[in-house]
Amino acid sequence: MLSGSIEGSFINENDAKISINRFDAGKLYGEALGCVQPPHSPIQLEALQDSLVLLVNLSAMHQEKESLSGFQYHLAMNLIHGLAHQNIYQNYKVRILSQKKLRDRIGIFLHGQPRAKDGSILVKLTVTAMAEFLGANRSALSRELGLMQDEGLLRIEGRRFFLTQP
């Protein structure tokens, strides 16, 4: 991504949108598809704002050569780095989605987000986008967040979340 923002998602068996990831400027996406080259992508992409994407043809990487050129070596290393980060992210996402309770999904999601100096967690997602990311119903997410606040587990100020208990 050179500029803008794109969301990758898929539609599950119940026709609900499941958000996989959001890609902003400077991020790689599609590197696994570029390396494996399947006939169809398993996800849909939606531009969340005007975006500029650099498409790199990886066919040169598939040719057998005794040594890679400097450019090919750097490209391969960047792809490996990108794939490793994507693997870590996908493990985080699987951990969230494997939880039976929505409260547990919320907890893992929030604990996986960076904290500001004041201890707050800025969630850049809308409630609808957060529900899609967590694989949950929007109203169920709102209800659970309200219950968590009522129980003193967290405090929400706009898009900033404060965890009051570990």
Side-chain angles (χ1 to χ4, degrees):
M1 289 291 305
L2 297 177
S3 66
S5 183
I6 291 177
E7 178 184 66
S9 64
F10 67 91
I11 305 299
N12 72 8
E13 296 74 24
N14 299 319
D15 291 328
K17 179 180 171 184
I18 305 294
S19 173
I20 298 172
N21 202 348
R22 192 170 285 217
F23 307 99
D24 297 314
K27 299 286 183 173
L28 290 176
Y29 75 91
E31 61 277 9
L33 298 175
C35 291
V36 177
Q37 299 180 343
H40 304 286
S41 173
I43 65 170
Q44 292 90 34
L45 297 173
E46 177 183 358
L48 301 175
Q49 56 187 256
D50 288 343
S51 301
L52 183 60
V53 176
L54 175 65
L55 177 63
V56 178
N57 182 348
L58 298 177
S59 62
M61 300 297 292
H62 294 281
Q63 299 171 8
E64 297 212 15
K65 293 186 177 180
E66 289 187 17
S67 64
L68 298 175
S69 71
F71 169 77
Q72 289 171 323
Y73 174 79
H74 287 294
L75 179 59
M77 293 308 295
N78 286 341
L79 286 171
I80 290 169
H81 187 260
L83 287 166
H85 278 284
Q86 194 64 4
N87 183 289
I88 291 167
Y89 174 81
Q90 293 299 335
N91 282 312
Y92 167 66
K93 184 76 182 219
V94 166
R95 183 169 173 228
I96 289 171
L97 294 178
S98 67
Q99 302 304 306
K100 291 185 177 109
K101 295 180 183 177
L102 179 55
R103 183 170 291 204
D104 294 336
R105 289 181 185 196
I106 295 167
I108 292 170
F109 170 74
L110 291 175
H111 283 285
Q113 301 301 306
R115 291 186 191 228
K117 289 182 181 179
D118 65 358
S120 69
I121 300 165
L122 177 63
V123 176
K124 296 179 182 179
L125 305 174
T126 64
V127 175
T128 300
M130 187 174 169
E132 290 170 354
F133 183 85
L134 296 174
N137 177 287
R138 184 194 181 286
S139 59
L141 175 61
S142 295
R143 184 172 45 253
E144 191 64 35
L145 289 172
L147 287 171
M148 291 173 79
Q149 282 190 98
D150 292 346
E151 294 171 20
L153 299 173
L154 60 85
R155 189 175 85 245
I156 303 172
E157 296 176 4
R159 292 198 178 178
R160 290 182 342 146
F161 287 65
F162 295 86
L163 300 176
T164 55
Q165 295 188 7

